[in-house]
């Protein structure tokens, strides 16, 4: 089973490298949001540094949605999904492999480049490091939550808007604790470890529930 998961992850990573798409688009979209907000708020560096973690997290949530509608839809269109779900490997492992590959090409790059983009919102080095760590811990939750919506809309053409309406409300707790953890590192009243631990718990819960729910949605759509 581990070899099957590794093969599916490798397949999706190779497809992403050859075709390109959601990973690069997510980074560009992330950069656009972070770059445009300072123009809207003005040159107040104190204000930007205060709300910088919130800007980066909000941009990460929206950027994660890029390409999520194609997570299962592309395989549904070319028949690959039927072969995967009909294989001896459980559907849950198929979902886990595809979500992991999507996070490696989307969520992980967002977390890694966030310190660089933090310069655009005048974040301190401590704020950049804290925000990058919270994104690294929290973006898996966003991806697993999005996978449920992607599985529900896999057979719907142009289901991106429906997917966003379905999953955005479910991403709010992750957004809240991600921003709270980043602000705690900048001198908040709550210790940094407390919201970070809750954020990690949300990712673990989303990994379990999201995998099971997405697999159930794929079975239901057959």
């Amino acid at each position: 089973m581990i070899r099957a998961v590794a093969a599916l992850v490798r397949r999706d990573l190779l497809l992403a490298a050859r075709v390109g798409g959601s990973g690069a688009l997510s980074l560009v979209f992330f950069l656009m949001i972070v770059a445009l907000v300072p123009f809207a708020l003005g040159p107040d560096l104190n204000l930007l540094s205060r709300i910088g973690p919130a800007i980066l997290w909000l941009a990460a949530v929206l950027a994660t949605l890029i390409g999520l509608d194609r997570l299962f839809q592309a395989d549904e269109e070319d028949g690959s999904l039927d072969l995967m779900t009909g294989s001896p490997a459980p559907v849950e492992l198929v979902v886990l492999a595809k979500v992991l590959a999507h996070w490696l090409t989307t969520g992980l790059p967002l977390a890694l480049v966030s310190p660089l983009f933090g310069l655009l919102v005048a974040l301190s080095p401590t704020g950049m490091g804290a925000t990058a760590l919270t994104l690294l811990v929290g973006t898996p939750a966003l991806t697993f939550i999005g996978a449920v919506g992607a599985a529900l809309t896999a057979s719907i053409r142009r289901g991106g808007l429906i997917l966003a309406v379905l999953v955005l409300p479910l991403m709010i707790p992750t957004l809240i604790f991600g921003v709270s953890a980043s602000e705690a590192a900048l001198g908040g009243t709550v210790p940094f470890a407390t919201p970070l631990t809750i954020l990690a718990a949300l990712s673990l819960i989303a990994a379990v529930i999201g995998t099971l729910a997405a697999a159930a949605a794929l079975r239901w759509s057959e």
Side-chain angles (χ1 to χ4, degrees), residues 107-186:
L108 181 60
L110 292 179
L112 294 179
V113 302
S114 60
L116 178 61
F117 292 168
L119 295 172
L120 299 175
V121 290
L123 275 183
S124 64
T126 302
M128 293 179 193
T131 303
L133 180 58
T134 58
L135 286 172
L136 188 64
V137 174
T139 47
L142 302 179
T143 307
F144 277 103
I145 292 170
V148 179
L152 289 171
T153 59
S155 58
I156 302 175
R157 290 185 177 275
R158 303 183 184 276
L161 181 58
I162 299 176
L163 185 149
V165 172
L166 287 174
V167 303
L168 273 177
L170 301 176
M171 293 179 174
I172 291 176
T174 306
L175 174 65
I176 291 173
F177 286 102
V179 175
S180 297
S182 300
E183 291 179 346
L186 295 174

Coordinates of all heavy atoms in Angstrom, one line a residue, residues 107-186:
G107 N 0.7 24.0 -1.3 CA 0.8 24.5 0.0 C 2.2 24.7 0.5 O 2.6 25.7 1.1
L108 N 3.1 23.7 0.2 CA 4.5 23.8 0.7 C 5.2 25.0 0.1 O 5.9 25.8 0.8 CB 5.2 22.5 0.4 CG 6.7 22.4 0.8 CD1 6.8 22.6 2.3 CD2 7.3 21.1 0.4
P109 N 5.1 25.2 -1.3 CA 5.8 26.4 -1.8 C 5.3 27.7 -1.2 O 6.1 28.7 -1.0 CB 5.5 26.3 -3.3 CG 5.3 24.9 -3.6 CD 4.6 24.4 -2.3
L110 N 4.0 27.8 -0.9 CA 3.4 29.0 -0.3 C 4.1 29.3 1.0 O 4.4 30.4 1.3 CB 1.9 28.9 -0.2 CG 1.1 28.9 -1.4 CD1 -0.4 28.8 -1.1 CD2 1.3 30.2 -2.2
A111 N 4.2 28.2 1.8 CA 4.9 28.4 3.1 C 6.3 28.8 3.0 O 6.8 29.6 3.8 CB 4.7 27.1 3.9
L112 N 7.0 28.2 2.0 CA 8.5 28.5 1.9 C 8.7 29.9 1.4 O 9.8 30.5 1.8 CB 9.1 27.5 0.9 CG 9.1 26.0 1.4 CD1 9.7 25.1 0.4 CD2 9.8 25.9 2.7
V113 N 7.9 30.4 0.5 CA 8.1 31.8 0.0 C 7.5 32.9 0.8 O 7.8 34.1 0.6 CB 7.6 31.9 -1.5 CG1 8.3 30.9 -2.4 CG2 6.1 31.8 -1.5
S114 N 6.7 32.5 1.8 CA 6.0 33.6 2.6 C 7.0 34.5 3.3 O 6.7 35.7 3.4 CB 5.1 32.9 3.6 OG 5.8 32.1 4.5
P115 N 8.2 34.1 3.8 CA 9.1 35.1 4.4 C 9.5 36.1 3.4 O 9.7 37.3 3.7 CB 10.3 34.2 4.8 CG 9.7 32.9 5.1 CD 8.7 32.7 4.0
L116 N 9.7 35.7 2.1 CA 10.1 36.7 1.1 C 9.0 37.7 0.8 O 9.2 38.9 0.7 CB 10.5 36.0 -0.2 CG 10.9 36.8 -1.4 CD1 12.1 37.7 -1.1 CD2 11.1 36.0 -2.6
F117 N 7.8 37.2 0.7 CA 6.6 38.0 0.5 C 6.3 38.9 1.7 O 5.6 39.9 1.6 CB 5.4 37.2 0.1 CG 5.5 36.6 -1.3 CD1 4.6 35.6 -1.7 CD2 6.6 36.9 -2.1 CE1 4.8 35.0 -2.9 CE2 6.7 36.3 -3.4 CZ 5.8 35.4 -3.8
G118 N 6.8 38.4 2.9 CA 6.5 39.2 4.1 C 7.2 40.5 4.1 O 6.8 41.5 4.8
L119 N 8.3 40.7 3.3 CA 8.9 42.0 3.1 C 8.0 43.0 2.5 O 8.1 44.2 2.8 CB 10.1 41.8 2.2 CG 11.3 40.9 2.7 CD1 12.3 40.7 1.6 CD2 11.9 41.6 3.9
L120 N 7.0 42.6 1.7 CA 6.1 43.5 1.1 C 5.1 44.1 2.1 O 4.5 45.1 1.8 CB 5.3 42.8 0.0 CG 6.1 42.2 -1.2 CD1 5.2 41.5 -2.1 CD2 6.8 43.4 -1.9
V121 N 4.9 43.4 3.2 CA 4.0 44.0 4.3 C 4.8 44.3 5.5 O 4.2 44.4 6.6 CB 2.9 42.9 4.6 CG1 2.0 42.8 3.4 CG2 3.5 41.6 4.9
A122 N 6.1 44.6 5.4 CA 6.9 45.1 6.5 C 6.9 44.2 7.7 O 7.0 44.7 8.8 CB 6.4 46.5 6.8
L123 N 6.9 42.9 7.5 CA 7.0 42.0 8.7 C 8.4 42.0 9.2 O 9.4 42.1 8.4 CB 6.6 40.6 8.3 CG 5.1 40.3 8.3 CD1 4.9 38.8 7.9 CD2 4.5 40.6 9.7
S124 N 8.6 41.8 10.5 CA 9.9 41.7 11.1 C 10.4 40.3 10.9 O 9.6 39.4 10.5 CB 9.7 41.9 12.6 OG 8.9 40.9 13.2
P125 N 11.7 40.0 11.0 CA 12.2 38.6 10.9 C 11.4 37.6 11.7 O 11.2 36.5 11.3 CB 13.6 38.8 11.3 CG 14.0 40.2 11.0 CD 12.7 41.0 11.3
T126 N 11.1 38.0 13.0 CA 10.3 37.1 13.8 C 9.0 36.8 13.2 O 8.5 35.6 13.2 CB 10.2 37.7 15.2 OG1 11.5 37.9 15.8 CG2 9.4 36.7 16.1
G127 N 8.3 37.8 12.7 CA 7.0 37.7 12.1 C 7.0 36.8 10.9 O 6.1 36.0 10.6
M128 N 8.1 37.0 10.1 CA 8.2 36.2 8.9 C 8.4 34.7 9.2 O 7.8 33.8 8.6 CB 9.4 36.6 8.1 CG 9.3 38.0 7.5 SD 10.8 38.5 6.6 CE 10.6 40.2 6.3
G129 N 9.3 34.4 10.2 CA 9.5 33.0 10.6 C 8.3 32.4 11.2 O 7.9 31.2 10.9
A130 N 7.5 33.1 12.0 CA 6.3 32.6 12.7 C 5.3 32.4 11.6 O 4.6 31.3 11.7 CB 5.8 33.6 13.7
T131 N 5.1 33.3 10.7 CA 4.0 33.1 9.7 C 4.4 31.9 8.8 O 3.5 31.1 8.4 CB 3.9 34.4 8.9 OG1 3.6 35.5 9.7 CG2 2.8 34.2 7.8
A132 N 5.6 31.8 8.4 CA 6.0 30.6 7.6 C 5.8 29.3 8.3 O 5.3 28.4 7.7 CB 7.5 30.8 7.2
L133 N 6.1 29.3 9.6 CA 5.8 28.0 10.4 C 4.3 27.7 10.5 O 3.9 26.6 10.3 CB 6.4 28.2 11.8 CG 6.3 27.0 12.7 CD1 6.9 25.7 12.1 CD2 6.9 27.3 14.1
T134 N 3.5 28.8 10.7 CA 2.1 28.5 10.8 C 1.5 28.1 9.5 O 0.6 27.2 9.4 CB 1.4 29.8 11.3 OG1 1.6 30.9 10.4 CG2 1.8 30.1 12.7
L135 N 2.0 28.6 8.4 CA 1.5 28.2 7.1 C 2.0 26.8 6.8 O 1.2 26.0 6.2 CB 2.1 29.1 6.0 CG 1.4 30.5 5.9 CD1 2.2 31.4 4.9 CD2 0.0 30.4 5.5
L136 N 3.2 26.4 7.2 CA 3.7 25.0 7.0 C 2.8 24.1 7.8 O 2.5 23.0 7.3 CB 5.1 24.9 7.5 CG 5.8 23.6 7.2 CD1 6.0 23.4 5.7 CD2 7.2 23.6 7.8
V137 N 2.3 24.4 9.0 CA 1.5 23.6 9.8 C 0.1 23.6 9.3 O -0.6 22.6 9.4 CB 1.6 24.0 11.3 CG1 0.7 23.2 12.2 CG2 3.1 23.8 11.8
G138 N -0.4 24.8 8.9 CA -1.8 24.9 8.6 C -2.3 24.7 7.2 O -3.5 24.3 7.0
T139 N -1.4 24.8 6.2 CA -1.9 24.6 4.9 C -2.3 23.2 4.6 O -3.2 23.0 3.7 CB -0.8 25.0 3.8 OG1 0.5 24.5 4.2 CG2 -0.7 26.6 3.8
P140 N -1.8 22.1 5.2 CA -2.4 20.8 5.0 C -3.9 20.7 5.3 O -4.6 20.1 4.6 CB -1.6 19.9 5.9 CG -0.3 20.6 6.0 CD -0.6 22.0 6.0
A141 N -4.3 21.5 6.4 CA -5.7 21.5 6.7 C -6.5 22.1 5.6 O -7.6 21.6 5.2 CB -5.9 22.3 8.0
L142 N -6.0 23.2 5.0 CA -6.7 23.8 3.9 C -6.8 22.9 2.7 O -7.9 22.8 2.0 CB -6.0 25.1 3.4 CG -5.8 26.2 4.5 CD1 -5.0 27.4 3.9 CD2 -7.1 26.7 5.1
T143 N -5.8 22.1 2.4 CA -5.8 21.2 1.2 C -6.7 20.1 1.5 O -7.5 19.7 0.5 CB -4.4 20.7 1.0 OG1 -3.5 21.8 0.8 CG2 -4.3 19.9 -0.3
F144 N -6.7 19.5 2.7 CA -7.6 18.4 2.9 C -9.1 18.8 2.9 O -10.0 18.1 2.5 CB -7.3 17.7 4.2 CG -6.2 16.7 4.1 CD1 -4.9 17.0 4.6 CD2 -6.4 15.4 3.6 CE1 -3.8 16.1 4.4 CE2 -5.3 14.5 3.5 CZ -4.1 14.9 3.9
I145 N -9.4 20.0 3.5 CA -10.7 20.5 3.4 C -11.1 20.7 2.0 O -12.3 20.4 1.6 CB -10.8 21.8 4.2 CG1 -10.7 21.5 5.7 CG2 -12.2 22.5 4.0 CD1 -10.5 22.7 6.6
G146 N -10.2 21.3 1.2 CA -10.5 21.6 -0.2 C -10.8 20.3 -1.0 O -11.5 20.2 -2.0
A147 N -10.1 19.2 -0.6 CA -10.2 17.9 -1.3 C -11.7 17.4 -1.2 O -12.1 16.7 -2.1 CB -9.3 16.9 -0.7
V148 N -12.3 17.7 -0.1 CA -13.7 17.2 0.0 C -14.6 17.9 -1.0 O -15.4 17.3 -1.7 CB -14.3 17.5 1.4 CG1 -15.7 17.1 1.6 CG2 -13.4 16.8 2.5
G149 N -14.4 19.2 -1.1 CA -15.2 20.0 -2.2 C -14.8 19.5 -3.6 O -15.6 19.4 -4.5
A150 N -13.5 19.2 -3.8 CA -13.0 18.8 -5.1 C -13.7 17.4 -5.5 O -14.0 17.2 -6.6 CB -11.5 18.7 -5.1
A151 N -13.8 16.5 -4.5 CA -14.4 15.2 -4.7 C -15.9 15.4 -5.0 O -16.5 14.7 -5.9 CB -14.2 14.3 -3.5
L152 N -16.6 16.3 -4.3 CA -18.0 16.5 -4.6 C -18.3 17.1 -5.9 O -19.4 16.9 -6.5 CB -18.6 17.4 -3.5 CG -18.7 16.8 -2.1 CD1 -19.1 17.9 -1.0 CD2 -19.7 15.7 -2.1
T153 N -17.4 17.9 -6.4 CA -17.6 18.6 -7.7 C -16.8 18.0 -8.8 O -16.6 18.6 -9.9 CB -17.2 20.1 -7.6 OG1 -15.8 20.2 -7.2 CG2 -18.1 20.8 -6.5
A154 N -16.2 16.8 -8.6 CA -15.4 16.2 -9.7 C -16.1 15.9 -11.0 O -15.5 16.0 -12.0 CB -14.8 14.8 -9.1
S155 N -17.4 15.6 -10.9 CA -18.1 15.3 -12.1 C -18.9 16.6 -12.7 O -19.6 16.5 -13.6 CB -19.1 14.2 -11.9 OG -20.0 14.6 -10.8
I156 N -18.6 17.7 -12.1 CA -19.3 19.0 -12.5 C -18.3 19.8 -13.3 O -17.2 20.2 -12.8 CB -19.8 19.8 -11.3 CG1 -20.8 18.9 -10.5 CG2 -20.5 21.0 -11.8 CD1 -21.3 19.6 -9.2
R157 N -18.6 20.2 -14.5 CA -17.8 21.0 -15.3 C -17.8 22.5 -14.7 O -18.9 22.9 -14.4 CB -18.2 21.0 -16.8 CG -17.9 19.7 -17.5 CD -18.2 19.8 -19.0 NE -17.8 18.6 -19.7 CZ -16.6 18.3 -20.1 NH1 -15.6 19.2 -19.9 NH2 -16.4 17.2 -20.7
R158 N -16.7 23.1 -14.7 CA -16.6 24.5 -14.2 C -17.2 24.6 -12.8 O -18.0 25.4 -12.4 CB -17.3 25.5 -15.1 CG -16.8 25.5 -16.5 CD -17.4 26.5 -17.4 NE -17.0 26.4 -18.7 CZ -15.9 27.0 -19.2 NH1 -15.1 27.7 -18.4 NH2 -15.5 26.9 -20.5
G159 N -16.7 23.6 -11.9 CA -17.2 23.6 -10.5 C -16.4 24.4 -9.6 O -16.6 24.2 -8.3
G160 N -15.5 25.2 -10.1 CA -14.6 26.0 -9.2 C -15.3 26.9 -8.2 O -15.0 27.0 -7.0
L161 N -16.4 27.6 -8.7 CA -17.1 28.5 -7.9 C -17.9 27.8 -6.8 O -17.9 28.2 -5.6 CB -18.0 29.4 -8.7 CG -18.9 30.4 -8.0 CD1 -17.9 31.4 -7.2 CD2 -19.8 31.2 -8.9
I162 N -18.5 26.7 -7.2 CA -19.3 25.9 -6.2 C -18.3 25.3 -5.2 O -18.6 25.3 -4.0 CB -20.0 24.7 -7.0 CG1 -21.0 25.2 -8.0 CG2 -20.7 23.8 -6.0 CD1 -21.6 24.2 -8.8
L163 N -17.1 24.9 -5.6 CA -16.1 24.4 -4.6 C -15.8 25.4 -3.6 O -15.7 25.2 -2.4 CB -14.9 23.9 -5.4 CG -13.8 23.2 -4.6 CD1 -13.1 22.2 -5.4 CD2 -12.8 24.2 -4.1
A164 N -15.5 26.7 -4.1 CA -15.2 27.8 -3.2 C -16.3 28.0 -2.2 O -16.0 28.3 -1.0 CB -14.8 29.0 -4.0
V165 N -17.5 28.1 -2.6 CA -18.6 28.3 -1.7 C -18.7 27.2 -0.7 O -19.1 27.4 0.5 CB -19.9 28.4 -2.6 CG1 -21.1 28.5 -1.6 CG2 -19.9 29.7 -3.4
L166 N -18.4 26.0 -1.1 CA -18.5 24.8 -0.2 C -17.4 24.8 0.9 O -17.7 24.6 2.1 CB -18.5 23.5 -0.9 CG -19.7 23.1 -1.8 CD1 -19.4 21.9 -2.6 CD2 -20.9 22.9 -0.9
V167 N -16.2 25.1 0.5 CA -15.1 24.9 1.4 C -14.6 26.1 2.2 O -14.0 26.0 3.2 CB -13.9 24.3 0.7 CG1 -14.3 23.0 0.0 CG2 -13.3 25.2 -0.3
L168 N -14.8 27.3 1.6 CA -14.3 28.5 2.3 C -14.8 28.7 3.7 O -14.1 29.0 4.7 CB -14.7 29.8 1.5 CG -13.7 30.2 0.4 CD1 -14.1 31.4 -0.4 CD2 -12.3 30.4 1.0
P169 N -16.1 28.4 4.0 CA -16.6 28.5 5.4 C -15.9 27.5 6.3 O -15.6 27.8 7.5 CB -18.1 28.2 5.3 CG -18.5 28.6 4.0 CD -17.3 28.2 3.1
L170 N -15.5 26.4 5.8 CA -14.8 25.3 6.6 C -13.4 25.7 6.9 O -12.8 25.1 7.8 CB -14.9 24.0 5.9 CG -16.4 23.5 5.6 CD1 -16.3 22.1 4.9 CD2 -17.1 23.3 6.9
M171 N -12.8 26.6 6.1 CA -11.4 27.0 6.3 C -11.3 28.1 7.3 O -10.1 28.4 7.7 CB -10.8 27.5 4.9 CG -10.7 26.3 3.9 SD -10.0 27.0 2.3 CE -9.8 25.5 1.4
I172 N -12.4 28.7 7.7 CA -12.3 29.8 8.7 C -11.6 29.5 10.0 O -10.7 30.3 10.4 CB -13.7 30.4 8.9 CG1 -14.2 31.1 7.6 CG2 -13.7 31.4 10.0 CD1 -15.6 31.6 7.7
P173 N -11.9 28.4 10.6 CA -11.1 28.1 11.9 C -9.6 28.0 11.7 O -8.8 28.5 12.5 CB -11.7 26.7 12.3 CG -13.1 26.7 11.7 CD -12.9 27.4 10.4
T174 N -9.2 27.4 10.6 CA -7.7 27.3 10.3 C -7.2 28.7 10.1 O -6.1 29.0 10.6 CB -7.5 26.5 9.0 OG1 -8.1 25.2 9.2 CG2 -6.0 26.3 8.8
L175 N -7.9 29.6 9.4 CA -7.5 30.9 9.2 C -7.3 31.7 10.5 O -6.3 32.4 10.8 CB -8.4 31.7 8.3 CG -8.2 33.2 8.0 CD1 -6.9 33.4 7.3 CD2 -9.4 33.7 7.2
I176 N -8.3 31.5 11.4 CA -8.3 32.2 12.7 C -7.1 31.8 13.5 O -6.4 32.7 14.0 CB -9.6 31.9 13.4 CG1 -10.8 32.6 12.7 CG2 -9.5 32.4 14.9 CD1 -12.2 32.2 13.3
F177 N -6.9 30.5 13.7 CA -5.8 30.1 14.5 C -4.4 30.3 13.9 O -3.4 30.5 14.6 CB -6.0 28.6 14.9 CG -7.0 28.4 15.9 CD1 -8.3 27.9 15.6 CD2 -6.8 28.7 17.3 CE1 -9.3 27.8 16.5 CE2 -7.8 28.6 18.2 CZ -9.1 28.1 17.9
G178 N -4.4 30.3 12.5 CA -3.1 30.6 11.9 C -2.7 32.0 12.1 O -1.5 32.3 12.4
V179 N -3.6 33.0 12.0 CA -3.3 34.4 12.2 C -3.1 34.6 13.7 O -2.1 35.3 14.1 CB -4.5 35.2 11.8 CG1 -4.3 36.7 12.1 CG2 -4.7 35.1 10.2
S180 N -3.8 33.9 14.6 CA -3.6 34.1 16.0 C -2.2 33.6 16.4 O -1.5 34.3 17.2 CB -4.6 33.3 16.8 OG -6.0 33.8 16.5
A181 N -1.8 32.5 15.9 CA -0.4 32.0 16.2 C 0.7 33.0 15.7 O 1.6 33.3 16.4 CB -0.2 30.6 15.6
S182 N 0.5 33.5 14.5 CA 1.5 34.5 14.0 C 1.5 35.7 14.8 O 2.6 36.3 15.1 CB 1.1 34.8 12.5 OG 1.1 33.7 11.7
E183 N 0.3 36.2 15.2 CA 0.3 37.5 16.1 C 0.8 37.2 17.5 O 1.4 38.1 18.1 CB -1.1 38.0 16.1 CG -1.6 38.5 14.8 CD -3.0 39.1 14.8 OE1 -3.7 38.7 15.8 OE2 -3.5 39.8 13.9
A184 N 0.6 36.0 18.0 CA 1.2 35.6 19.3 C 2.7 35.7 19.3 O 3.3 36.1 20.3 CB 0.7 34.3 19.7
A185 N 3.3 35.3 18.2 CA 4.8 35.4 18.1 C 5.3 36.8 18.1 O 6.5 37.0 18.4 CB 5.3 34.6 16.9
L186 N 4.4 37.7 17.7 CA 4.9 39.1 17.6 C 4.6 39.9 18.9 O 4.6 41.1 18.9 CB 4.1 39.8 16.5 CG 4.5 39.3 15.1 CD1 3.6 39.9 14.0 CD2 5.9 39.5 14.8

